[in-house]
Amino acid sequence: MIVFDLRCGIGHVFEAWFASSSAYEEQRARALVRCPMCDDGHIEKAVMAPNIAPKGNRLSGSVPAEIVPAALAALAEAQTAMLAKSEWVGRAFPDRARAMHLGDEPSALIHGETSAAEARELIDEGVPVSPLPFRVVPPSTMN
């Protein structure tokens, strides 16, 4: 079944269901499609907005505003705790992460800076990396 938005000669817009597009054309040609509001037989397809289903991973409603600050605070706290256990390596991050992945350097928890292109290269190489949710201020700039 297919639904069409239809418009009569007067301008009324209504929906109608058909077995197929060709079934609509056939019924229209035989004057079987009529406006339910005024019984006009001059019917054309109206402009329709596509009915695209939302992605399955989306929430059905919006997130309640009152939970956002607490969620962000918890995320920031988790990041702070993780960073306290890792070493800042700055711009050496891509090289250090790659060396650890290849076994050229002992594994350790590190964080640092990298460009988007460098991060994609690391991911393509199978190096386990993840962006941090909040920007990290390098230790050398914290005075």
Side-chain angles (χ1 to χ4, degrees):
M1 295 294 285
I2 187 168
V3 66
F4 290 120
D5 281 347
L6 303 177
R7 181 187 334 269
C8 74
I10 296 175
H12 297 126
V13 177
F14 59 97
E15 279 187 357
W17 289 84
F18 298 91
S20 64
S21 190
S22 60
Y24 158 75
E25 294 297 340
E26 179 184 311
Q27 290 178 36
R28 186 175 153 265
R30 293 177 32 206
L32 298 175
V33 182
R34 306 197 62 84
C35 177
M37 290 163 259
C38 66
D39 201 38
D40 184 17
H42 180 74
I43 305 296
E44 299 289 331
K45 287 183 185 175
V47 176
M48 296 177 57
N51 185 10
I52 300 171
K55 290 174 67 173
N57 64 350
R58 301 273 172 130
L59 295 173
S60 59
S62 60
V63 176
E66 62 272 6
I67 70 167
V68 173
L72 290 174
L75 190 57
E77 186 178 321
Q79 177 176 307
T80 300
M82 182 190 68
L83 293 177
K85 299 175 186 173
S86 67
E87 175 190 358
W88 170 261
V89 295
R91 288 289 306 139
F93 180 81
D95 295 331
R96 295 277 309 271
R98 185 176 287 111
M100 288 181 208
H101 178 70
L102 297 173
D104 297 337
E105 184 176 316
S107 291
L109 294 175
I110 63 170
H111 64 280
E113 297 177 3
T114 186
S115 69
E118 289 168 326
R120 277 191 294 277
E121 288 174 10
L122 290 170
I123 291 167
D124 290 345
E125 294 170 26
V127 179
V129 297
S130 179
L132 296 174
F134 301 103
R135 185 176 185 279
V136 176
V137 178
S140 62
T141 62
M142 296 172 52
N143 292 328

